[in-house]
Amino acid sequence: MMNFSKLLLLCLSLFHSTLGATEIIFEIKGVDGDAHTNVEDYLLGLELPKNAKNEGYLSEVKKSAQAALTVFGYYQPKIVIAVSDMSTTEQSEQRVILDIVTGPQTVIVESDIRILGEGKTFIHFTELLENFTLRKGDILLHTNYESAKSSFKSVARRYGYFDSKFVKSRVEVSSAKNSASVSLWFDSGPRYLFGDFIFESALSAHEIVTDMRNFEIGDPFDTKQLGELNANLSQTGYFKSISLLPDFSKKEGLNIPLNIVASMQPEDSFNIGLGVSSDEGLRGTFGWKRPWLNDAGHSIEGALVASIPKQEASLTYKMPLEDPLNNYISLQSGYQMENQNDTDTTLYINSITRHWRFDNQWHRNIFLRHEHESGSQGQQQFSTTLFIPGISFSRTRFRGGVNATWGDKIITLFETSSQWWFSSENLVKIYGQYKIIRTYSGHQFIGMAEVGIIKTDSIYNVPSSMRFFTGGDRSIRGFDYESVAPEDNDNYLIGGKYLTVMSTEYRYPLAKNWKLAFFADAGTATDDFSEDFSSSVGTGIVWASPVGPIRFYVAKPVTNKINSFAIHFMIGP
């Protein structure tokens, strides 16, 4: 019972002590900008007293303010501190007023910066010296000093100077003269080299990992190269996890071997998705993948995509040549059925494609595609069989994940069909698309442009899936999905030989993850450009959700004598 009473009294004492603490408000005079902020940060880190009129506490306030000012080269500030009470019946407050006269800043009168060892002529170290911020005549800023030391260490880690060290790092300050001497001697030591791979356990992807290596044994060590290789291996889809770790305990001379720690993906993986858009309504997806079929790294995957107007199925077999990311062949077979607007078609596709990805992020594909399409477009019944060779170039860059804040996308395509190689029709198709997104202080700008040309004697010779239609969520908002295209005499859509679409959008930040959008779209799908461009304007709201932007737009056509408004809803990047 006695122990409990003592514990209760102790708790009450601590509670009373907490209630008795006075709120302290600091008023800092004589400094502004970063120096003011730094002094304030230092003071806010002090423990609150019961009463600010305490010599011990005020001494700590003065020392903290002086320490905060030395960061900016003020070593002889004069600080006068006063305390005023602002207590009311409801609360107890005290204002601590610091009146600061900073005095002159400390100037560097001697600067002795040296790089020793093997790296003294290494370009990235010499660039640090050329841009050094602690030269004779400069103001002594401790942030620059620490930043300089950090830069040397960072370059050393990046480029394999693992034995590097500072043999001398000193700042000597003469407060009386407001001067300082800076000495910074950095010994790089030797630069280490890449060694061979060491596989911690049997790995079926042994050859693929070796083939994808972006350096040779004996090349100078570069942690960026190592990181890029690790990222590329992760993107192959073969591994559940993989890491490449330098093993310094097994180094041979300057060669550092790399431990490969990896686990393969399951033999089969599946994914199911559900989405919705105003173009297609509710849409479901199902995917299956077997990422590793044999020691050569072949893989196979299938996909099903279904909505009310469109159903698709595809099977893709992938065969790496040099590596599965940058150099491979894919075989694809697919089926598509569409019944929307005036289109009711069935399409079978078989293709073989040679893929290259270059260091500048461009992708080049050369393909041969066989298509058999039949059905109706408007009042036309058709059936075509085409053998289509072609080439495409594309590049996609982005930052910010599924809610990209910066990026651009370019697609160019050339394909042709001819009766010379047993196609039922002669045609040439050229298509290009450019999209861009940029963000400045939360304000976002999105632009898109599309152009397309089909060279043929008659649009009726072209299968429906290759003709140009536009309108809808991702082209000209305010118009129904693919409703902008030439029509026959009975107002049935037949599709066009030419495509031109432009779109601009501005997003104004409302709150975290929310933006108000304003846009204007214009374009046409046409046979001869005799009709007016279809255009629209509108507004909307965009939420940066965990699964990508969720967009809700209201669009108003300003051409084609359409008076109604259209709603567009989209989920995903």
Side-chain angles (χ1 to χ4, degrees):
M1 182 68 179
M2 181 63 68
N3 290 336
F4 176 77
S5 300
K6 288 181 179 179
L7 180 62
L8 181 61
L9 287 172
L10 178 60
C11 291
L12 288 172
S13 175
L14 290 173
F15 181 66
H16 176 74
S17 176
T18 302
L19 287 177
T22 302
E23 182 179 355
I24 304 295
I25 298 174
F26 293 104
E27 183 178 338
I28 303 166
K29 300 179 180 179
V31 290
D32 52 19
D34 292 339
H36 183 283
T37 302
N38 205 45
V39 171
E40 189 174 45
D41 289 342
Y42 271 57
L43 296 179
L44 291 175
L46 295 174
E47 185 177 347
L48 288 175
K50 291 182 180 179
N51 188 345
K53 294 178 180 179
N54 177 293
E55 289 187 9
Y57 175 69
L58 294 179
S59 176
E60 289 299 315
V61 169
K62 189 170 185 177
K63 288 178 182 178
S64 294
Q66 287 172 335
L69 290 169
T70 59
V71 173
F72 296 91
Y74 298 110
Y75 278 83
Q76 290 184 304
K78 294 180 180 180
I79 304 175
V80 177
I81 302 176
V83 180
S84 64
D85 290 310
M86 300 182 296
S87 301
T88 65
T89 55
E90 290 82 14
Q91 60 182 358
S92 179
E93 292 182 354
Q94 289 181 309
R95 182 181 297 272
V96 178
I97 304 166
L98 290 83
D99 201 339
I100 300 172
V101 178
T102 59
Q105 283 180 292
T106 300
V107 177
I108 298 172
V109 294
E110 290 186 22
S111 180
D112 184 10
I113 315 300
R114 305 182 190 182
I115 298 175
L116 310 173
E118 187 181 303
K120 63 184 178 182
T121 58
F122 185 54
I123 183 171
H124 296 288
F125 285 132
T126 57
E127 284 177 350
L128 287 180
L129 284 182
E130 290 173 3
N131 299 308
F132 207 68
T133 56
L134 296 170
R135 298 184 180 278
K136 184 176 179 180
D138 290 345
I139 300 297
L140 175 63
L141 300 177
H142 283 265
T143 51
N144 288 350
Y145 177 73
E146 294 301 327
S147 176
K149 291 180 67 176
S150 178
S151 296
F152 278 114
K153 292 177 182 177
S154 178
V155 170
R157 285 193 300 268
R158 158 79 191 272
Y159 293 104
Y161 292 92
F162 297 121
D163 295 337
S164 62
K165 60 184 178 181
F166 289 100
V167 295
K168 189 175 183 181
S169 58
R170 188 166 61 216
V171 177
E172 296 177 341
V173 177
S174 171
S175 299
K177 297 180 180 180
N178 297 308
S179 64
S181 298
V182 177
S183 298
L184 201 61
W185 295 5
F186 183 74
D187 185 355
S188 71
R191 185 177 185 184
Y192 282 87
L193 311 174
F194 282 117
D196 204 354
F197 288 150
I198 298 175
F199 292 88
E200 291 293 307
S201 58
L203 190 67
S204 52
H206 178 284
E207 291 186 13
I208 291 294
V209 173
T210 303
D211 289 343
M212 290 185 66
R213 181 166 52 192
N214 55 353
F215 51 82
E216 300 295 330
I217 297 174
D219 282 354
F221 205 96
D222 187 335
T223 54
K224 184 179 179 181
Q225 275 184 278
L226 188 62
E228 288 173 349
L229 175 58
N230 210 135
N232 287 339
L233 289 169
S234 297
Q235 291 175 28
T236 61
Y238 298 147
F239 307 99
K240 184 187 295 183
S241 65
I242 184 167
S243 59
L244 288 71
L245 305 173
D247 192 340
F248 293 95
S249 66
K250 297 179 181 178
K251 67 181 180 181
E252 299 177 358
L254 294 177
N255 284 43
I256 301 177
L258 302 171
N259 279 333
I260 310 296
V261 182
S263 61
M264 302 298 292
Q265 287 280 14
E267 186 176 31
D268 294 289
S269 61
F270 305 90
N271 64 75
I272 298 174
L274 195 65
V276 64
S277 74
S278 44
D279 280 350
E280 294 185 55
L282 192 65
R283 182 175 68 172
T285 61
F286 173 80
W288 160 74
K289 185 173 184 179
R290 180 165 290 187
W292 190 263
L293 290 174
N294 52 38
D295 289 342
H298 292 196
S299 62
I300 188 170
E301 60 182 292
L304 296 173
V305 181
S307 63
I308 292 176
K310 186 182 293 186
Q311 300 85 47
E312 301 176 35
S314 65
L315 191 67
T316 304
Y317 190 92
K318 183 177 176 181
M319 300 179 292
L321 297 177
E322 295 177 4
D323 69 67
L325 283 181
N326 303 318
N327 201 328
Y328 60 95
I329 290 174
S330 66
L331 305 174
Q332 188 174 52
S333 183
Y335 164 84
Q336 177 180 299
M337 185 170 67
E338 182 175 359
N339 187 354
Q340 190 169 18
N341 294 341
D342 298 329
T343 303
D344 186 0
T345 60
T346 301
L347 171 65
Y348 297 91
I349 300 176
N350 296 286
S351 67
I352 178 170
T353 307
R354 179 75 160 84
H355 304 260
W356 291 267
R357 188 182 75 168
F358 304 107
D359 292 339
N360 58 9
Q361 301 184 47
W362 280 94
H363 294 242
R364 179 180 67 195
N365 298 329
I366 295 178
F367 58 85
L368 175 62
R369 188 170 73 247
H370 166 259
E371 292 187 358
H372 176 72
E373 185 172 353
S374 60
S376 61
Q377 180 62 54
Q379 300 183 82
Q380 178 201 5
Q381 297 291 325
F382 70 90
S383 178
T384 60
T385 300
L386 306 179
F387 293 92
I388 305 172
I391 184 171
S392 69
F393 291 89
S394 64
R395 186 189 69 186
T396 300
R397 306 180 298 176
F398 67 95
R399 296 194 291 262
V402 293
N403 291 294
T405 56
W406 180 98
D408 49 50
K409 179 179 181 180
I410 302 173
I411 299 173
T412 60
L413 169 71
F414 174 87
E415 54 187 10
T416 184
S417 173
S418 174
Q419 294 174 349
W420 283 90
W421 49 78
F422 310 111
S423 292
S424 58
E425 308 295 343
N426 297 320
L427 63 90
V428 174
K429 182 176 181 178
I430 301 172
Y431 172 79
Q433 182 191 82
Y434 179 65
K435 292 184 177 181
I436 185 171
I437 179 170
R438 294 291 188 267
T439 305
Y440 306 96
S441 301
H443 298 264
Q444 212 161 73
F445 301 87
I446 297 97
M448 186 272 287
E450 278 185 292
V451 292
I453 301 172
I454 299 174
K455 188 179 186 312
T456 182
D457 292 335
S458 170
I459 193 63
Y460 292 103
N461 297 336
V462 181
S464 177
S465 62
M466 294 185 70
R467 302 178 191 183
F468 290 123
F469 301 83
T470 189
D473 294 342
R474 300 180 185 275
S475 53
I476 309 174
R477 287 160 286 191
F479 295 83
D480 291 340
Y481 177 62
E482 295 193 345
S483 64
V484 178
E487 300 175 347
D488 62 17
N489 293 332
D490 294 319
N491 298 321
Y492 285 96
L493 293 167
I494 59 174
K497 295 181 182 179
Y498 306 103
L499 175 71
T500 303
V501 177
M502 295 167 287
S503 175
T504 59
E505 182 172 331
Y506 163 66
R507 295 176 182 173
Y508 176 80
L510 290 175
K512 184 179 180 181
N513 298 328
W514 290 89
K515 287 182 168 61
L516 180 64
F518 304 92
F519 64 85
D521 301 336
T524 186
T526 181
D527 274 338
D528 52 16
F529 291 98
S530 60
E531 58 278 306
D532 294 333
F533 270 45
S534 298
S535 59
S536 65
V537 295
T539 187
I541 195 80
V542 180
W543 173 42
S545 79
V547 297
I550 296 179
R551 290 157 285 176
F552 179 85
Y553 297 111
V554 178
K556 174 68 173 70
V558 295
T559 55
N560 299 34
K561 298 181 180 179
I562 299 176
N563 295 318
S564 62
F565 289 85
I567 302 297
H568 296 276
F569 180 73
M570 292 164 280
I571 299 177

